[in-house]
Amino acid sequence: MAERPTTNWRDGIVKEAEELAAGTLDPECACMAELFPEELLTSTDAVLDTFERELPGLSEADDAQIFGVVERVVLALNAVNEAHNESAYETDEREQLCDFIDQSLTEHGIDIVALAARHGLGRYQITDKWRKW
């Protein structure tokens, strides 16, 4: 099962806090809690909850329906990013979110390579039309 990026981010926050408490991390090097405030994590999880609820049955859907699901999750993530001064998701986070979308669709029977090819896209371009993060 595809692992949510927010799970990784939360794990990073916990690990960093443990290192700070143990004195093995210089406080000036700690950044996870600042990069991933709880409101960002909660908002992102809410978007991913909605996305995951739309996945069952997609293997029977046509391309327009599949792209509709992709569009909705990307636009919702755009809104989260906007609410965080356009800086919620940096390069690593963007890649993790796109990978999560790809893996989740694949796990629900969508051939991403074929879907993208039918629309003149590369596999990793299915979010590009709507993505602002």
Side-chain angles (χ1 to χ4, degrees):
M1 185 169 161
E3 187 170 321
R4 284 185 179 198
T6 50
T7 299
N8 293 329
W9 304 340
R10 281 188 171 91
D11 290 347
I13 292 168
V14 169
K15 183 177 184 225
E16 186 176 84
E18 290 170 350
E19 291 173 356
L20 285 169
T24 58
L25 178 66
D26 183 334
E28 290 187 22
C29 296
C31 63
M32 294 296 288
E34 185 177 330
L35 285 174
F36 304 108
E38 186 56 37
E39 199 280 323
L40 169 63
L41 296 170
T42 301
S43 298
T44 303
D45 274 333
V47 169
L48 299 180
D49 286 343
T50 300
F51 171 65
E52 288 176 336
R53 282 193 298 271
E54 292 192 78
L55 294 172
L58 269 187
S59 63
E60 309 300 321
D62 64 24
D63 289 3
Q65 292 168 309
I66 297 165
F67 273 114
V69 170
V70 173
E71 178 181 10
R72 284 189 292 280
V73 69
V74 170
L75 292 177
L77 290 168
N78 285 349
V80 171
N81 190 51
E82 287 174 22
H84 288 69
N85 300 316
E86 306 287 337
S87 62
Y89 312 120
E90 300 298 330
T91 302
D92 286 342
E93 292 79 33
R94 291 178 196 131
E95 289 175 3
Q96 290 176 35
L97 287 164
C98 288
D99 190 46
F100 177 76
I101 292 167
D102 182 292
Q103 286 181 20
S104 296
L105 290 168
T106 299
E107 288 172 2
H108 283 83
I110 307 302
D111 182 341
I112 300 295
V113 174
L115 171 70
R118 287 192 296 273
H119 297 274
L121 302 170
R123 176 183 195 136
Y124 301 106
Q125 294 177 311
I126 66 167
T127 62
D128 289 357
K129 182 176 181 179
W130 308 283
R131 189 163 53 89
K132 294 182 180 178
W133 33 271

